[in-house]
Each structure stands twice: as structure tokens, then as C-alpha cells.
């Protein structure tokens, strides 16, 4: 089933197209019962008005949408750059929509403003995903794992990323480990889960005092670690200080290093730090940050491959998981 039009509603309701148009546009010329019947049919058929008049007759907008609830930081910058370059080469434009509303995303997509979409966040429900697939709207979801008709996903192997970080620190002789968690999204949750699982498998207790919230932001991680260190009043010993810290992303790791330095603690001699993502800044901080490379550009490239594959007739989407690798620098001894 394609996108529902007013013709479809008129046929289902047994009325004329002009009558449907009047009902949907709240023109006060209809019998209230007729209007209510048409609105009920429209809701049942998941009709969303086309938000761009020029698309009513056009078969293609030649536009791909990137939907996210934030647009800052190295991740989104590289994602946008990669996607826009590929769109340009394919003769398409990239439109960016910043919204935390699922309904807003659904309205845009079902309204025909773009030919396909890459959705970073927020996470759509399974019902929303089915509605989009039934409407033949190609969508690639980032940082979740789904695949089906007109839907693909491109994610990082975040669970094994967390495992990799813990195993690496343990191999360096670290036993008192700390974790700076990210936000409540797929990547952060999986990285934390993998890290904790390896700690448990190796008989290492991750103390509650050593689990901090970084929110994937340098400032937040700095404030969290700084607050904990302030509470120690300079009493640093084996009971109060971790040997190593794993942060859910590089920005959080750099914030943690800032806080450690403020309190006179040396990285990595007193506390080792490992991050995740390998953003450009990670190689220039002091000491250069050991991290796990995830490759944002590759995710954007695979997302666009998925979109254009579906636009060109491959209706069945794919689930792609990108592997990661340790980048050893000087923040772990």
C-alpha cells in the first residue's frame, strides 16, 4: 500500500473528492455526520496531509531527510558531511530536521516532503515503523537493529565495543575499573552492558561509586568526576580511586581527564582513561587518548547505500553492524 491520498479516502467513505477535501480542511459546508465519517476513515487509513503542495503531482522530491533530536558534536557533523556528499553525487538534496517528536517525524514522512529518511533519534515505535513501511517510505535507522520491508539499520557493534574496552584494561593489569555511562540510547546502553559483563566474568566488582553519568558530553562528565573527587577531600587510595576509567564516548573521556588533572591526578600514572569513537580531538589532548574507533563516516555511507538501494527497487532492507577497533595512545599505561 502506497501513501494514502484523498482519492483513497473518498473511495472508502463513498463520497466525492471535494467532500473529503472540505472535511479535511475544516470547511463548514458539510453535514456534521458526513464530516465525522470522513475524518474517522482518514484516521483509520493513517492519512497524513501532504505538507508540500508541489509534491502533490510530483513522483519524487529528490530529497532525503535526516531526522535527529540534536545536531551538535563531531558525530552529527561527520554524519551530515558524509550523507550530503553522497546525496549531491546522486542528484539529491539532504534536508535536516531537528525534532524530539515522533508525530512530527511521521507527519513529515507520510506527508511526502522527502523520498526517504535516515533517522538518528528519537526512536520510533514498531507501529510507526510498520505504518511507514506500508506507505512505501524507505527509512534507515541508525543506532538500533531492525530490518524488513522498506527499512534498514546501520549500527555499531556497541556491545562488543564495551567488552573490548574492559578486556583491554584488564590485560593492562587494571582491576579497579570505573565506567562513565552515556545517555539512554542503543549505543550507550550496549557499551555499558558489554563492559559490565566482562567485569562480572572476570570476578571484578564494579563499585556503585565508580559508575558515573556523562551524558556523552565533556562538561557533564567533567562535573560528575569533579564532584566525586571533591567528596574524597584529597584522600586518594585503593578504596577511593579507580585504576582505569572507560567512558561511553571520547568527549566524556576528555571531560574525565580534565577533572582528574584539576585534582592533581596524573593520566595515566594515577588513573588510566579510555574513550570511544576516536574523534579528531582525541589525538591532540594531553595525553593523547586511547580509544575505540567506530567510524561515523562509514555509518553515514552505509545509511545512504541503504536508502538508495530501496529507492531503486530493493524493497527488503538490510541490517548492518559495523565493527570497531582499539586505537592505542598514551592515556592507558
Amino acid at each position: 500500500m502506497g501513501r494514502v491520498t484523498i482519492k483513497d479516502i473518498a473511495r472508502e467513505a463513498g463520497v466525492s473528492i471535494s467532500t473529503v477535501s472540505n472535511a479535511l480542511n475544516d470547511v463548514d459546508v458539510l453535514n456534521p455526520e458526513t464530516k465525522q465519517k470522513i475524518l474517522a476513515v482518514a484516521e483509520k487509513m493513517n492519512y497524513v496531509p501532504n505538507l508540500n503542495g508541489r509534491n502533490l503531482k510530483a513522483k519524487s522530491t529528490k530529497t532525503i531527510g535526516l531526522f535527529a533530536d540534536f545536531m551538535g558534536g563531531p558525530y552529527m557533523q561527520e554524519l551530515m558531511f558524509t550523507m550530503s556528499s553522497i546525496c549531491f553525487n546522486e542528484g539529491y538534496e539532504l534536508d535536516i530536521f531537528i525534532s524530539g517528536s515522533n508525530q512530527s517525524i511521521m507527519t513529515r514522512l507520510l506527508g511526502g516532503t522527502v523520498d526517504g529518511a535516515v533517522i538518528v533519534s528519537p526512536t520510533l515505535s514498531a507501529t510507526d515503523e510498520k505504518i511507514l513501511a506500508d506507505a512505501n517510505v524507505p527509512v534507515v535507522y541508525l543506532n538500533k537493529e531492525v530490518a524488513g520491508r522498506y527499512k534498514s539499520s546501520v549500527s555499531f557493534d556497541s556491545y562488543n565495543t564495551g567488552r573490548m574496552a574492559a578486556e583491554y584494561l584488564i590485560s593492562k593489569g587494571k582491576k579497579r575499573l570505573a565506567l562513565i555511562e552515556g545517555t539512554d540510547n542503543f549505543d550507550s546502553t550496549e557499551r555499558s552492558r558489554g563492559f559490565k559483563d566482562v567485569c562480572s566474568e572476570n570476578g571484578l566488582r564494579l563499585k556503585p561509586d565508580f559508575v558515573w553519568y556523562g551524558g556523552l558530553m565533556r562538561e557533564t562528565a567533567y562535573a560528575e568526576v569533579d564532584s566525586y573527587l571533591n567528596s574524597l577531600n584529597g584522600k586518594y587510595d585503593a578504596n577511593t580511586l579507580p585504576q582505569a576509567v572507560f567512558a561511553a564516548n571520547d568527549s566524556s573521556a576528555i571531560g574525565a581527564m580534565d577533572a582528574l588533572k584539576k585534582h592533581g591526578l596524573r593520566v595515566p600514572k594515577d588513573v588510566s582513561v579510555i574513550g570511544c569513537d576516536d574523534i579528531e580531538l582525541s589525538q591532540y589532548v594531553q595525553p593523547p587518548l586511547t580509544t575505540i574507533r567506530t567510524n561515523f563516516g562509514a555509518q553515514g555511507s552505509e545509511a545512504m547505500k541503504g536508502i538508495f538501494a530501496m529507492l531503486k527497487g530493493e524493497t527488503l532492507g538490510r541490517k548492518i553492524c559495523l565493527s570497531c577497533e582499539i586505537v592505542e595512545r598514551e592515556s592507558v599505561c
Side-chain angles (χ1 to χ4, degrees), residues 77-94 300-301 304 308:
Q77 290 173 9
E78 190 163 348
L79 203 61
M80 288 186 290
F81 176 78
T82 302
M83 290 177 58
S84 61
S85 297
I86 295 173
C87 279
F88 180 80
N89 291 336
E90 292 281 347
Y92 276 70
E93 294 181 349
L94 179 69
S301 178
M304 298 313 294
F308 286 115

Short mmCIF file of all heavy atoms in Angstrom, two decimals, residues 77-94 300-301 304 308:
data_model
loop_
_atom_site.label_atom_id
_atom_site.label_comp_id
_atom_site.label_asym_id
_atom_site.label_seq_id
_atom_site.Cartn_x
_atom_site.Cartn_y
_atom_site.Cartn_z
N GLN A 77 28.22 16.10 12.89
CA GLN A 77 28.94 16.85 11.86
C GLN A 77 29.46 15.92 10.77
O GLN A 77 29.29 16.19 9.58
CB GLN A 77 30.10 17.62 12.50
CG GLN A 77 29.65 18.78 13.38
CD GLN A 77 30.80 19.41 14.13
OE1 GLN A 77 31.97 19.12 13.89
NE2 GLN A 77 30.49 20.29 15.07
N GLU A 78 30.09 14.82 11.16
CA GLU A 78 30.63 13.90 10.16
C GLU A 78 29.52 13.16 9.43
O GLU A 78 29.61 12.91 8.22
CB GLU A 78 31.59 12.90 10.81
CG GLU A 78 32.35 12.07 9.81
CD GLU A 78 33.57 11.39 10.38
OE1 GLU A 78 33.97 11.72 11.51
OE2 GLU A 78 34.13 10.52 9.69
N LEU A 79 28.45 12.84 10.15
CA LEU A 79 27.31 12.16 9.54
C LEU A 79 26.70 13.05 8.45
O LEU A 79 26.45 12.60 7.33
CB LEU A 79 26.27 11.85 10.61
CG LEU A 79 25.28 10.71 10.34
CD1 LEU A 79 26.00 9.39 10.16
CD2 LEU A 79 24.27 10.63 11.48
N MET A 80 26.48 14.33 8.78
CA MET A 80 25.90 15.26 7.81
C MET A 80 26.80 15.44 6.60
O MET A 80 26.34 15.48 5.46
CB MET A 80 25.61 16.60 8.47
CG MET A 80 24.44 16.60 9.42
SD MET A 80 24.04 18.25 10.04
CE MET A 80 25.44 18.57 11.12
N PHE A 81 28.11 15.58 6.84
CA PHE A 81 29.05 15.79 5.74
C PHE A 81 29.05 14.60 4.78
O PHE A 81 28.97 14.76 3.56
CB PHE A 81 30.47 16.01 6.29
CG PHE A 81 31.51 16.15 5.22
CD1 PHE A 81 31.66 17.33 4.51
CD2 PHE A 81 32.33 15.07 4.91
CE1 PHE A 81 32.61 17.44 3.51
CE2 PHE A 81 33.29 15.17 3.91
CZ PHE A 81 33.43 16.36 3.21
N THR A 82 29.12 13.39 5.34
CA THR A 82 29.15 12.19 4.51
C THR A 82 27.86 12.04 3.72
O THR A 82 27.87 11.79 2.51
CB THR A 82 29.37 10.94 5.38
OG1 THR A 82 30.60 11.08 6.10
CG2 THR A 82 29.42 9.69 4.53
N MET A 83 26.73 12.19 4.40
CA MET A 83 25.44 11.99 3.74
C MET A 83 25.18 13.04 2.67
O MET A 83 24.68 12.73 1.59
CB MET A 83 24.32 12.01 4.79
CG MET A 83 24.31 10.80 5.70
SD MET A 83 23.03 10.90 6.98
CE MET A 83 21.56 11.06 5.97
N SER A 84 25.50 14.30 2.95
CA SER A 84 25.25 15.37 1.98
C SER A 84 26.11 15.18 0.73
O SER A 84 25.65 15.43 -0.39
CB SER A 84 25.51 16.75 2.60
OG SER A 84 26.86 16.87 3.03
N SER A 85 27.34 14.71 0.90
CA SER A 85 28.22 14.46 -0.24
C SER A 85 27.65 13.38 -1.15
O SER A 85 27.65 13.51 -2.38
CB SER A 85 29.62 14.07 0.24
OG SER A 85 30.22 15.10 0.97
N ILE A 86 27.16 12.30 -0.54
CA ILE A 86 26.60 11.20 -1.33
C ILE A 86 25.30 11.64 -2.01
O ILE A 86 25.06 11.30 -3.18
CB ILE A 86 26.38 9.97 -0.43
CG1 ILE A 86 27.73 9.44 0.07
CG2 ILE A 86 25.63 8.87 -1.19
CD1 ILE A 86 27.63 8.34 1.10
N CYS A 87 24.47 12.39 -1.29
CA CYS A 87 23.24 12.91 -1.90
C CYS A 87 23.55 13.75 -3.13
O CYS A 87 22.92 13.62 -4.18
CB CYS A 87 22.47 13.76 -0.88
SG CYS A 87 21.47 12.81 0.28
N PHE A 88 24.53 14.63 -3.00
CA PHE A 88 24.92 15.50 -4.11
C PHE A 88 25.35 14.69 -5.32
O PHE A 88 24.95 14.97 -6.46
CB PHE A 88 26.06 16.43 -3.66
CG PHE A 88 26.52 17.37 -4.74
CD1 PHE A 88 25.81 18.53 -5.01
CD2 PHE A 88 27.67 17.11 -5.47
CE1 PHE A 88 26.23 19.40 -6.02
CE2 PHE A 88 28.10 17.96 -6.47
CZ PHE A 88 27.37 19.13 -6.74
N ASN A 89 26.13 13.65 -5.09
CA ASN A 89 26.60 12.81 -6.19
C ASN A 89 25.46 12.05 -6.86
O ASN A 89 25.55 11.69 -8.04
CB ASN A 89 27.65 11.81 -5.69
CG ASN A 89 28.95 12.49 -5.31
OD1 ASN A 89 29.27 13.57 -5.79
ND2 ASN A 89 29.71 11.86 -4.42
N GLU A 90 24.38 11.80 -6.12
CA GLU A 90 23.22 11.08 -6.66
C GLU A 90 22.17 12.02 -7.23
O GLU A 90 21.11 11.58 -7.69
CB GLU A 90 22.59 10.21 -5.56
CG GLU A 90 23.45 9.05 -5.09
CD GLU A 90 23.40 7.87 -6.06
OE1 GLU A 90 22.51 7.86 -6.94
OE2 GLU A 90 24.24 6.97 -5.93
N GLY A 91 22.45 13.33 -7.18
CA GLY A 91 21.48 14.30 -7.69
C GLY A 91 20.35 14.59 -6.72
O GLY A 91 19.27 15.04 -7.12
N TYR A 92 20.60 14.37 -5.43
CA TYR A 92 19.61 14.61 -4.39
C TYR A 92 20.08 15.73 -3.46
O TYR A 92 21.26 16.09 -3.44
CB TYR A 92 19.39 13.35 -3.55
CG TYR A 92 18.40 12.37 -4.13
CD1 TYR A 92 18.72 11.64 -5.28
CD2 TYR A 92 17.16 12.16 -3.54
CE1 TYR A 92 17.82 10.73 -5.82
CE2 TYR A 92 16.26 11.25 -4.07
CZ TYR A 92 16.59 10.54 -5.21
OH TYR A 92 15.69 9.65 -5.73
N GLU A 93 19.14 16.24 -2.69
CA GLU A 93 19.45 17.17 -1.61
C GLU A 93 19.24 16.47 -0.27
O GLU A 93 18.51 15.50 -0.18
CB GLU A 93 18.53 18.40 -1.67
CG GLU A 93 18.74 19.26 -2.90
CD GLU A 93 17.82 20.48 -2.90
OE1 GLU A 93 16.89 20.53 -2.06
OE2 GLU A 93 18.03 21.37 -3.74
N LEU A 94 19.92 16.99 0.77
CA LEU A 94 19.74 16.48 2.12
C LEU A 94 19.07 17.56 2.96
O LEU A 94 19.60 18.66 3.10
CB LEU A 94 21.08 16.11 2.75
CG LEU A 94 21.03 15.58 4.20
CD1 LEU A 94 20.37 14.20 4.23
CD2 LEU A 94 22.43 15.52 4.81
N GLY A 300 27.40 6.76 8.01
CA GLY A 300 26.65 7.62 7.10
C GLY A 300 26.64 7.07 5.69
O GLY A 300 25.61 7.10 5.00
N SER A 301 27.78 6.54 5.24
CA SER A 301 27.88 5.98 3.90
C SER A 301 26.99 4.76 3.73
O SER A 301 26.26 4.63 2.72
CB SER A 301 29.35 5.61 3.61
OG SER A 301 29.47 5.04 2.33
N MET A 304 23.29 5.74 3.48
CA MET A 304 22.88 6.24 2.17
C MET A 304 22.80 5.10 1.15
O MET A 304 21.91 5.11 0.29
CB MET A 304 23.86 7.31 1.69
CG MET A 304 23.91 8.55 2.59
SD MET A 304 22.27 9.18 3.04
CE MET A 304 21.67 9.71 1.45
N PHE A 308 19.31 4.48 -1.01
CA PHE A 308 19.24 4.48 -2.48
C PHE A 308 18.96 3.09 -3.03
O PHE A 308 18.35 2.95 -4.09
CB PHE A 308 20.51 5.08 -3.06
CG PHE A 308 20.58 6.57 -2.91
CD1 PHE A 308 21.56 7.16 -2.12
CD2 PHE A 308 19.63 7.38 -3.52
CE1 PHE A 308 21.60 8.54 -1.96
CE2 PHE A 308 19.67 8.75 -3.36
CZ PHE A 308 20.65 9.34 -2.59
#
